[in-house]
């Protein structure tokens, strides 16, 4: 696909650029959230932690922040851009 064709598809589409091109969203720098039931959340694309307690965690993402509320929340693993938390997750809310 030529660049001109790709740009035309993106401009005339209601979806994001990565979706229009059939690419995984993380390729274009979007945050990926993987929720497993109400017990585990894996975030790809975190920038930092704004606040942390066992009932609420606020994580800075590239384009906004996300607030995770629940019970017995624990950060299990954290790397430069990934965060894995476990506990009972009641709510995931975007803060813009």
């Amino acid at each position: 696909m030529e660049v001109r064709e790709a740009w035309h598809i993106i401009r005339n589409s209601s979806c994001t650029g990565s979706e229009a091109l059939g690419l995984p969203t993380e390729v274009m720098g979007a945050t990926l959230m993987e929720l497993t039931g109400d017990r585990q959340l894996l975030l790809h694309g975190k920038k930092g932690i704004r606040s942390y307690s066992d009932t609420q965690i606020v994580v800075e993402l590239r384009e906004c922040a996300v607030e995770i509320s629940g019970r017995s929340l624990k950060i299990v693993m954290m790397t430069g851009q990934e965060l894995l938390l476990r506990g009972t997750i009641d709510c995931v809310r975007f803060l813009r």
Side-chain angles (χ1 to χ4, degrees):
M1 177 181 298
E2 290 184 29
V3 173
R4 198 175 302 170
E5 278 181 89
W7 179 244
H8 178 75
I9 290 170
I10 293 168
R11 270 192 24 217
N12 296 312
S13 174
S14 62
C15 56
T16 66
S18 58
E19 290 169 338
L21 295 174
L23 299 172
T25 53
E26 58 271 12
V27 170
M28 299 295 279
T31 299
L32 177 65
M33 295 175 58
E34 189 176 315
L35 187 62
T36 306
D38 66 346
R39 299 293 178 168
Q40 178 173 290
L41 177 65
L42 177 61
L43 286 170
H44 300 273
K46 79 152 180 68
K47 288 176 65 178
I49 306 278
R50 188 186 294 177
S51 64
Y52 173 61
S53 74
D54 65 340
T55 58
Q56 182 184 66
I57 300 172
V58 179
V59 181
E60 293 287 336
L61 305 175
R62 290 182 187 113
E63 59 280 342
C64 63
V66 66
E67 175 187 84
I68 301 100
S69 302
R71 297 176 305 271
S72 303
L73 298 176
K74 295 178 188 151
I75 295 175
V76 176
M77 182 270 304
M78 185 166 58
T79 65
Q81 291 191 6
E82 293 183 336
L83 175 73
L84 174 64
L85 35 114
R86 290 190 180 131
T88 302
I89 300 168
D90 294 327
C91 180
V92 177
R93 183 171 71 118
F94 290 94
L95 307 173
R96 300 188 193 272

